[in-house]
Amino acid sequence: MPKLTIHGETREYEKGTTFEEIAREYQPQYENQIVAVVYGTRIRELMKKVDRDEELSFITTADEIGNNTYTRTALMMLVKAVRDVSGHVPAFTKIEYKIGNAYYCSIRGDFKVTEAFAESVQQRMQDMVDDHLSITKKGYPLADAIEIFKKEGMDDKVRLLRYRRSSEVNIYKMDGFSDYYYGYMLPNTCYVKWFKVEKYHDGLLLHLPSRKHPDQITESEPREKLFNEMVRSSTWGEMMGIDTVGDLNDAVVSGDFNDLMLVQEALQERRIGEIAKKIYERKDVRFVMIAGPSSSGKTSFANRLSIQLRTYGLHPHPISIDNYFVNREFTPLNEDGSYNFECLEALDVEQFNQDMVDLLAGKTVEMPYFNFVTGKREMNGDFMKLNPGDVLVIEGIHGLNEKMSHSLPAESKFKIYISALTTLSVDAHNRIPTTDGRLLRRIVRDARTRGATAKHTIAMWDSVRRGEEQNIFPYQEGADEMFNSAQIYELAVLKQYAEPLLFAIKPGEPEYFEAKRLLKFLDYFVAVDSAALPKNSLTREFVGGSCFKV
């Protein structure tokens, strides 16, 4: 009988006992629902079985892996529910974007999505929960898996699997429905207790719990500007014939990558030009405020926007809000005693406002420079005066927060939110989280510019994201314009840089599971050489070779 060490105590279990049975024993000790386990150095789904002596710990919905497992299972239920409700009418569901704590799903079929249809999908999902439908997992030879998905009409998965190196594919089944998912799943529909389906635009919005509140639905405020920007990028992808990773791989191996890359770059440049024109047409604008989360390409975007502004006769001047950091000894601290550089109080807001007001009044101002080595703000004789046609292009995480620029007239500011809003999907039912794209960007850039390991970047990522959720995302809908910096081909380029860095993280290290997940994710892509990228490409900010100082 295998011996399992749980909470420091060793217990014997029959070989073949499922982790779900063991989780039921320990569930009363946990506030949140147990949805997976760590078995030695590997994560295991609850439907898996004990087969050897090992240490065992539990993953709940309050953990990121657990929350993603819950989400993935709920999405599979939604896809099945749409099929069931649509009946004989063929319906194709695509998991498109995450909007707050909800997932937007487009529905393609010979019918319109109505409120009544959404209510029927909600009820069908609830029936699944009540019926305690089992979800099973089985490995199939690659050729057999491809045939299964051909019969299911899932051509996107067929294209994806053509590039799979492994000879076996894990397929999940629920109530006669077969599907493939990148990541862990729950063993039964009864675990998915909290969800809400509603009609949104031409599709459905599935509201799910967040990690912070894993046992309740947290509905987000409408984010129409974000949604519209995602739709714009999806339209670009459809125009280029690139909707999924399988499509991208097809373009790479067929020799069409260069044309694809040039079209993507041209589309982004056109979009930057449109934003520059709007700034020019608002004659009172003197301050362009740019904000976005980590690794969104703010610096490259600011430089490219500045070039476009110059084509309208304007004279842009870059300013980094980081130069207004308070001296290190006055920086607020986190609960663990580390410096909190993300909060507004880490900046000298009043000095920033005074300097900007003085510039707006035509005064000459000595601009500060923050020395990150000494942790001190310095004055090095960098004087500035606003002349006719001058525009300040100000970049920083608090750029959209009105408190940051409270003294400046509203008409003098033009606010831009930038983020890498990945709209490329692994396949129709496996979206690529925008945070994954940004994390890979940062891993590659930090290694190149700071000599940081992937282990270090991953370790600090949770803290970075918490800062973004507090200081950036709440203000994004207040932007005058949004810009999506994600490039449809970039993950195929980042792959060759990120993989060696991720392989350096060893089993047993806290960041190992995340590194392993990202490596599995990158394995879907056919790699592309970065040599062909234009010097001003946003991707160059991360892989190197940019014509800008980034």
Side-chain angles (χ1 to χ4, degrees), residues 26-44:
Y26 286 87
Q27 183 61 68
Q29 300 180 34
Y30 287 82
E31 180 181 355
N32 303 115
Q33 191 169 223
I34 295 172
V35 292
V37 300
V38 179
Y39 188 47
T41 59
R42 304 185 72 178
I43 295 171
R44 284 286 181 259

Side-chain angles (χ1 to χ4, degrees), residues 2 46 98 178 180 255 281 438 457 510:
L46 294 183
K98 187 177 181 186
S178 299
Y180 170 78
E281 290 173 345
R438 292 195 293 111
T457 303

Side-chain angles (χ1 to χ4, degrees), residues 236 239-240 262-271:
W236 287 358
M239 182 181 68
M240 292 183 281
L262 291 174
V263 172
Q264 167 75 94
E265 294 288 347
L267 286 166
Q268 282 196 334
E269 192 63 32
R270 187 182 73 188
R271 175 72 180 131

Side-chain angles (χ1 to χ4, degrees), residues 309-338:
L309 290 172
R310 290 174 65 183
T311 68
Y312 287 97
L314 299 176
H315 307 291
H317 302 277
I319 290 180
S320 173
I321 291 179
D322 286 359
N323 285 324
Y324 283 88
F325 271 126
V326 298
N327 288 343
R328 190 67 43 81
E329 64 267 28
F330 301 119
T331 303
L333 302 178
N334 291 308
E335 290 181 4
D336 61 3
S338 60

Side-chain angles (χ1 to χ4, degrees), residues 53 105 124 155 215 258 269 328 346 385 401 406 465 523 536:
D53 296 351
C105 307
R124 178 66 188 115
D155 294 338
D215 57 353
N258 196 60
E269 192 63 32
R328 190 67 43 81
K385 182 179 180 180
N401 187 342
H406 63 85
R465 288 181 62 187
D523 203 40
N536 68 342

